[in-house]
Amino acid sequence: MLKLGVLASGRGSNFQSIIDSVGSGYLPAEVAVLITDNPDAYAIERARKRSIPHLVMKPGDYRSGENYFAELAGELKDRGVELVILAGFMRVVKRPLIEEFPMRIMNIHPAILPAFPGLHGQRQAVDYGVKVSGCTVHFVDEGVDTGPIIVQAVVPVYHDDTEETLSERILKEEHRIFPFAVKLFAEGRLRVEGRRVIVDNAHERNNSVIINPPLDTGV
Ligand code: GRF
């Protein structure tokens, strides 16, 4: 069974979607550990409820960012973690962790990358005036939200959307595509070729398209 290590900084709803997908049998994996940089993260509560081991590691307690991520990598390795999940982990991952888990770290970002990387992807989308946005699961490299893209989901952006309403719409899709991406990994269906991630046996050609606002239908 694929062993997951989850890093989260906050409420952990994406962590919950992973827990639930494991629980239902959809995701052939087990969560070996939750590590958080925030002792007040609600994610800890979610881990407790399911008796998932958890650890608080605060960057301030380490002599440098590099050192922090080296120690973090050590903790994950010691627990036999094979895939690292960034579920709302609010830090840019540094080299020691990436070197330990090359193309073995996944992040979810609330925008259609490469648009609107960094903080507040949903607010950036509303402010820019785009008509569609969404979320992206990608492998993590040393940049900010720059690694190879695994799955994306697109949602419409309405003229009266706020950061909050758009975030809510996007979050629903996050909870669908993150477990899906992890499942693809667990099933050995992901191949990274340069910047591209090839998904074996994907049902890609289903002709789905979102046009927003929708075409007038003559009514
Ligand atoms: C999500 O919007 C995710 O896309 C971003 O941080 C947020 C985390 O939310 N990376 P949660 O803690 O999983 O509820």
Side-chain angles (χ1 to χ4, degrees):
M1 200 73 105
L2 179 74
K3 282 199 173 187
L4 307 175
V6 178
L7 309 188
S9 302
R11 90 194 138 176
S13 71
N14 278 289
F15 173 39
Q16 188 68 50
S17 76
I18 300 288
I19 293 175
D20 292 345
S21 303
V22 168
S24 72
Y26 172 78
L27 185 53
E30 82 182 76
V31 183
V33 66
L34 165 77
I35 302 183
T36 176
D37 56 348
N38 170 14
D40 300 322
Y42 186 67
I44 296 174
E45 201 47 46
R46 298 180 192 272
R48 270 206 194 105
K49 279 186 191 145
R50 300 296 180 105
S51 308
I52 294 168
H54 62 274
L55 224 68
V56 178
M57 294 178 71
K58 292 192 281 180
D61 295 342
Y62 299 81
R63 58 174 191 278
S64 67
E66 302 283 324
N67 177 241
Y68 176 67
F69 280 100
E71 294 290 326
L72 226 160
E75 291 289 350
L76 294 166
K77 240 184 89 184
D78 287 351
R79 288 170 167 77
V81 166
E82 297 159 285
L83 180 68
V84 181
I85 305 293
L86 307 187
F89 185 65
M90 302 308 283
R91 292 181 186 276
V92 179
V93 168
K94 290 201 190 305
R95 184 170 297 180
L97 183 60
I98 295 167
E99 278 178 353
E100 192 61 55
F101 294 94
M103 296 301 148
R104 295 283 182 279
I105 308 172
M106 279 187 193
N107 181 47
I108 181 125
H109 180 75
I112 296 296
L113 293 171
F116 314 132
L119 291 176
H120 306 297
Q122 306 96 327
R123 188 194 305 168
Q124 293 184 58
V126 169
D127 290 350
Y128 197 94
V130 289
K131 300 297 188 195
V132 294
S133 189
C135 46
T136 303
V137 181
H138 63 94
F139 284 118
V140 172
D141 62 12
E142 281 186 69
V144 176
D145 303 322
T146 50
I149 291 171
I150 304 163
V151 188
Q152 297 185 300
V154 174
V155 303
V157 180
Y158 304 132
H159 75 279
D160 54 356
D161 262 330
T162 61
E163 181 182 4
E164 288 71 33
T165 57
L166 179 60
S167 297
E168 202 179 313
R169 195 171 309 123
I170 291 173
L171 193 64
K172 277 195 191 132
E173 304 313 316
E174 293 185 30
H175 296 162
R176 298 171 72 199
I177 68 169
F178 212 179
F180 176 53
V182 178
K183 179 182 161 72
L184 291 173
F185 184 96
E187 292 174 347
R189 291 167 62 192
L190 300 180
R191 273 182 295 129
V192 183
E193 292 179 4
R195 276 216 53 85
R196 303 172 97 194
V197 179
I198 316 295
V199 180
D200 288 337
N201 296 315
H203 303 290
E204 280 180 323
R205 288 174 175 74
N206 63 359
N207 294 322
S208 63
V209 60
I210 290 180
I211 300 176
N212 186 49
L215 300 178
D216 281 337
T217 52
V219 281

